[in-house]
Amino acid sequence: MTGAVEAAAALVAGAHSVVVFTGAGMSAESGVPTFRDDLTGLWARFDAERLATPEAFHADPDLVWGWYEWRRSRARRAEPNAGHRAVAALEAAVPGTTVVTQNVDDLHERAGSTAPNHLHGSLFAPRCIGAGAHPAVFPDAEEPQEGRRLAPPRCDACGALVRPGVVWFGEALPEEALRAAVAAAASCDVLLTVGTSGVVYPAAEIPRIAARAGAAVVQVNPDPTPLDAVSTLNLRGTAATILPALVPV
Ligand code: BV8
């Protein structure tokens, strides 16, 4: 264990309240592509930040719905990695731990995390675009590897189109989720930021709020990011290799 990892483990072991803030890199070792990774198949010629918008959905609902159903089937086939399991173990070891994620997969939950705070929604909470925003239930389908256009289902209650339960670019984050994340960051002793490039706002503000409030910020990322500047410790490695070493024994 390097000196920096040891120092981070000591910080966590001495902490009363910890925030674990995660991004796409957390699920990379589970085979879920990050947002930096180029899109493949049908979506190869699109930019994720352009597809993940209300405008794209209204312009071509079958293309965008097909993309989310493809991501949903990939996420269902993926397994939590040693990083997800370490986060769940850390929650058990340090009761005052809060998990805040930008990820829309359910790998934190499947690894045993009790109530991760999904700032950007979930692939598993579709709802209709009608005024009622009715939750939609429909069978899981295995999507072809290269993806396909797929017409979104219609809402049983009001007939409106069903959309993915995620936060698209240009849309507001769920108020309560954001409020709870800001409160946790402003009062924690240690914030672990794992697998995020720290460029999407307002989520990217969370580690900065913790730093401004005097918490120790520990970054886990194989590459440098804009969060280097606010991090007390930068651990250059992957989520699945480093996080297990941070769980208090
Ligand atoms: C809003 C759900 C207004 C959908 C997502 C301030 C400044 C500049 C721009 C803005 C600003 N404020 C708002 C904006 C606009 C915009 C924004 O931030 N744009 C960016 C691109 C500049 N923000 C918004 O639009 C937000 N909404 O502002 O609304 C408003 C307000 C009130 C009322 C009405 C409207 C909404 C943003 C949320 C969008 N939805 N996801 C979906 O998933 O399809 S964002 C999505 O992209 C993810 O959730 C995540 O947040 C982001 C991707 O970032 P990361 O998770 O960090 O992943 P990335 O691939 O970038 O990086 C991976 C990292 O992991 C890398 O660093 C890599 O080195 C590392 N890594 C790789 N492997 C590993 C690893 N680390 C560890 N282990 C490994 N194995």
Side-chain angles (χ1 to χ4, degrees):
M1 217 187 330
T2 65
V5 174
E6 265 171 23
L11 283 172
V12 171
H16 299 292
S17 68
V18 174
V19 169
V20 183
F21 177 68
T22 69
M26 181 79 228
S27 299
E29 290 155 287
S30 297
V32 178
T34 72
F35 255 68
R36 300 300 98 192
D37 296 333
D38 292 339
L39 295 181
T40 57
L42 175 62
W43 299 286
R45 57 193 170 83
F46 296 95
D47 160 11
E49 273 156 39
R50 299 283 300 281
L51 271 182
T53 62
E55 295 77 19
F57 183 70
H58 294 299
D60 191 340
D62 298 15
L63 178 77
V64 172
W65 184 254
W67 183 46
Y68 280 96
E69 283 303 281
W70 178 79
R71 290 173 63 189
R72 205 162 69 93
S73 71
R74 294 277 304 255
R76 260 200 322 276
R77 282 207 307 271
E79 288 302 327
N81 61 56
H84 294 107
R85 292 191 291 275
V87 171
L90 200 160
E91 275 181 275
V94 183
T97 298
T98 305
V99 178
V100 176
T101 187
Q102 300 166 81
N103 298 344
V104 293
D105 63 49
D106 62 346
L107 295 175
H108 279 304
E109 287 89 341
R110 286 162 52 197
S113 283
T114 43
N117 174 348
H118 284 270
L119 284 180
H120 295 162
S122 161
L123 290 169
F124 302 94
R127 64 177 192 274
C128 79
I129 62 173
H134 304 107
V137 182
F138 46 88
D140 295 340
E142 273 318 306
E143 293 303 309
Q145 183 53 35
E146 70 289 353
R148 62 179 171 164
R149 293 172 172 286
L150 193 60
R154 291 263 168 199
C155 174
D156 300 338
C158 71
L161 277 183
V162 171
R163 60 161 285 170
V166 301
V167 178
W168 279 327
F169 287 95
E171 291 186 325
L173 275 58
E175 227 171 291
E176 178 42 31
L178 184 56
R179 191 206 58 70
V182 168
S187 61
C188 67
D189 306 321
V190 174
L191 181 140
L192 302 179
T193 176
V194 183
T196 183
S197 56
V199 298
V200 171
Y201 286 82
E205 203 53 35
I206 299 294
R208 293 176 171 86
I209 290 168
R212 283 200 295 271
V217 173
V218 176
Q219 178 171 224
V220 178
N221 196 313
D223 299 329
T225 76
L227 291 170
D228 285 35
V230 298
S231 298
T232 320
L233 290 167
N234 284 297
L235 310 182
R236 289 274 179 266
T238 73
T241 55
I242 290 197
L243 289 177
L246 303 187
V247 180
V249 287

